[in-house]
Amino acid sequence: MTELSRRTLLAAAAGAPAAALPATAAVAAPPASPAPVVIRPGDRRYDGLLRGNNWRFTGAPDEIRIASSTADVVRAVSDAVRTGRRIAPRSGGHCFEDFTADPAVRMLLDLKPMNAVGWDADRRAHVVEPGATLGEVYRALFTRSGVTVPGGSCPEVGAGGHVAGGGYGPLSRRYGSVVDHLYGVEVVVPDAARGARAIVATREPGDPHRDLWWAHTGAGGGSFGVVTKYLLRDLPPVPRTMLQHVIVWSWEGMTEAALTGLVRNFGTWHERHSAPGTPECGVYGILDVAHRSAGTVMLVAQIDADLPDAGALVDGLVSAVTAGTGLTPVLDLRTSIPWLHRMTWPGSGEPGDVLVRRYKIKAAYLRRGYTEAQLAAIWRHLTGAYGGGTLLIGYGGQANAVAPDATAIAQRSAVMKAICQSVWREEAHDDAMIAWVRDIYRDVFGDVPADGSYINYPDTDLPRTAFYGANYPRLRRVKSRYDPANVFRHGLSVEPL
């Protein structure tokens, strides 16, 4: 399985708060803290903290500010506003574009030390700080209260960006997006009088900052301020065991009819089985169709093993996808594994070869499967000059049960997410690999996908409206209220009015 295809195996569940969870002063005013760590060029630590996950982009900030508390963040934002310097917050560093590695960024705000996961007794909410990785979040919630969130299965991704962009995974068809469980956020925003201030915004109808909470339910980070705490409620119990079925076919002898049959069938199954509340919403499928030169095509089906008829539900997806293709797999493996192990094992995230860090991804939401013309284009590019591959990822289900304006995720009728991607080592290959991704994407989706795209798969080739949809005017109003000077900005950030 490719590293970036693993990124799309995003998983978890959600649950009720446990009284036994130790209380913390999670959203109280922070105590006085020592001077923050500031790292500048020439410091032997600078290069080691500079790069994010995608090595196509490397910034050159005047300083890397290490934040350990909300007070540190307030101070950093105040300093940036006072001195007129561009600032960018970073939690896990897994952004696909240059949002934190833009050379125009003068202060890189590293939130990694802010990685606490706790419980706010007053607000009756789980508290997750932005520097916590998903693996840390899953383990803490599991061990303290037996709950989880429907987030990604790459354990090294930071919660800071993942949650604000919506967050989804193998259990999202059953439990919705991560932000469907987001009660509130603590956010540091610019302030004309004080430089910066921390605001707690919740979904309560009478909250004067409710729109700021709403903007963080799927519009991504880096537009409105710096999230310093997420408050989560209504998290269901974590599954005990994941049942996973993996089927791999060789490209050797693969015909156009067989390959397009797999892709067509995968789309048809999701069109028919994505209504909220149906048993099939317990099944999460991924179809990884790599380029011919990669050698294989793979189907993955995952389900909570304790669901009624779990095995039969997986059989239903597998049978539907393989019907009429006549393909014989080179691997057909069904296994059960403890859920926590699957979600926190580092092998499900970072690449084994650390040199493979250059990539380009273009994505799209889909409300239905591909047309015959799109299938023909996919076949043509996957059998032509090498460049990368494609993925189809199951969505829909409970994620479709929420109105498109109830959160900032506008694409609430999508039943799949599609990805065109390329991953490579050498900088000399940048132009060719990026061109391949752009070419297949244009031939399949046109210049802009009809159903929009997912902000956590950012792609600066696309206009902002592709990600924010009909919610963009409201997002701009929120931006104008909390960051009218556009202090927080990147290639796809919400623009003030």
Side-chain angles (χ1 to χ4, degrees):
M1 189 184 302
T2 65
E3 193 271 337
L4 285 178
S5 68
R6 289 190 183 102
R7 292 175 181 280
T8 63
L9 310 184
L10 310 173
L21 195 65
T24 66
V27 295
S33 59
V37 176
V38 179
I39 298 171
R40 297 185 173 91
D43 189 306
R44 65 189 301 157
R45 297 168 293 179
Y46 182 85
D47 288 347
L49 293 170
L50 189 61
R51 288 181 183 263
N53 187 264
N54 191 346
W55 285 18
R56 285 177 54 213
F57 307 110
T58 304
D62 299 329
E63 64 179 68
I64 302 173
R65 188 78 66 96
I66 310 298
S68 299
S69 67
T70 299
D72 284 349
V73 175
V74 170
R75 185 181 304 166
V77 175
S78 296
D79 289 348
V81 171
R82 177 177 50 82
T83 58
R85 288 180 293 167
R86 176 96 168 263
I87 183 172
R90 183 181 72 187
S91 52
H94 284 72
C95 183
F96 295 167
E97 294 284 359
D98 66 346
F99 295 172
T100 62
D102 187 331
V105 170
R106 306 319 316 151
M107 182 191 293
L108 178 61
L109 183 58
D110 191 321
L111 303 171
K112 180 57 185 170
M114 299 181 66
N115 63 351
V117 180
W119 173 250
D120 184 318
D122 292 336
R123 290 186 170 87
R124 297 176 291 108
H126 300 275
V127 180
V128 174
E129 290 188 336
T133 64
L134 295 182
E136 290 170 337
V137 173
Y138 299 145
R139 183 170 293 278
L141 292 177
F142 177 89
T143 55
R144 295 176 182 180
S145 58
V147 300
T148 189
V149 293
S153 68
C154 176
E156 294 303 314
V157 166
H162 186 71
V163 177
Y168 84 104
L171 293 178
S172 288
R173 283 171 52 83
R174 186 177 172 192
Y175 294 123
S177 297
V178 175
V179 293
D180 296 338
H181 307 273
L182 183 65
Y183 172 73
V185 286
E186 180 182 82
V187 192
V188 175
V189 299
D191 182 271
R194 292 170 284 182
R197 60 178 172 145
I199 295 174
V200 175
T202 72
R203 68 188 184 200
E204 295 293 343
D207 191 325
H209 301 294
R210 190 176 191 277
D211 269 358
L212 185 61
W213 159 81
W214 176 84
H216 287 88
T217 59
S223 280
F224 308 96
V226 183
V227 176
T228 49
K229 294 180 178 70
Y230 290 107
L231 305 173
L232 298 154
R233 282 185 178 179
D234 308 315
L235 304 183
V238 67
R240 293 185 302 175
T241 306
M242 173 192 285
L243 175 64
Q244 178 169 284
H245 195 145
V246 178
I247 303 177
V248 178
W249 299 276
S250 172
W251 261 100
E252 185 176 351
M254 181 72 71
T255 65
E256 182 174 3
L259 183 76
T260 57
L262 289 174
V263 178
R264 182 189 301 107
N265 292 344
F266 189 90
T268 299
W269 187 90
H270 282 84
E271 289 177 19
R272 295 174 177 173
H273 299 293
S274 293
T278 58
E280 288 81 6
C281 288
V283 183
Y284 178 72
I286 308 101
L287 185 62
D288 186 350
V289 186
H291 188 272
R292 180 190 292 275
S293 61
T296 59
V297 175
M298 180 173 61
L299 173 68
V300 178
Q302 299 173 343
I303 194 170
D304 178 349
D306 287 337
L307 282 177
D309 300 318
L313 290 169
V314 169
D315 288 342
L317 172 64
V318 170
S319 297
V321 173
T322 58
T325 62
L327 292 170
T328 301
V330 295
L331 175 68
D332 190 338
L333 178 65
R334 181 172 293 196
T335 58
S336 293
I337 186 170
W339 189 272
L340 183 66
H341 181 80
R342 175 62 185 84
M343 300 306 295
T344 58
W345 177 55
S348 66
E350 300 304 315
D353 183 348
V354 296
L355 296 179
V356 182
R357 289 287 186 89
R358 308 181 77 84
Y359 48 86
K360 174 66 177 178
I361 289 180
K362 296 176 72 68
Y365 281 108
L366 297 177
R367 290 184 295 168
R368 59 188 60 84
Y370 290 130
T371 66
E372 295 306 307
Q374 288 174 313
L375 291 169
I378 290 170
W379 171 262
R380 184 168 63 253
H381 284 279
L382 294 182
T383 55
Y386 174 68
T390 67
L391 288 162
L392 280 177
I393 306 158
Y395 195 56
Q398 190 60 30
N400 291 167
V402 179
D405 60 351
T407 67
I409 302 174
Q411 301 86 359
R412 287 293 187 166
S413 58
V415 299
M416 290 178 289
K417 300 191 185 193
I419 287 178
C420 300
Q421 66 180 21
S422 192
V423 187
W424 64 96
R425 289 194 182 120
E426 303 297 334
E427 184 177 357
H429 298 157
D430 283 6
D431 290 346
M433 293 300 195
I434 293 170
W436 186 90
V437 177
R438 287 172 172 164
D439 287 347
I440 184 174
Y441 190 85
R442 183 188 60 249
D443 286 354
V444 174
F445 298 108
D447 293 330
V448 180
D451 299 320
S453 192
Y454 176 45
I455 191 60
N456 276 358
Y457 297 156
D459 172 15
T460 53
D461 296 342
L462 298 178
R464 288 168 170 81
T465 51
F467 300 93
Y468 306 127
N471 287 331
Y472 193 49
R474 181 179 174 186
L475 289 167
R476 296 189 69 189
R477 292 193 294 272
V478 179
K479 173 74 169 181
S480 296
R481 177 182 175 188
Y482 291 97
D483 185 19
N486 207 21
V487 170
F488 291 96
R489 60 192 186 275
H490 54 68
L492 289 171
S493 58
V494 174
E495 298 172 306
L497 293 170

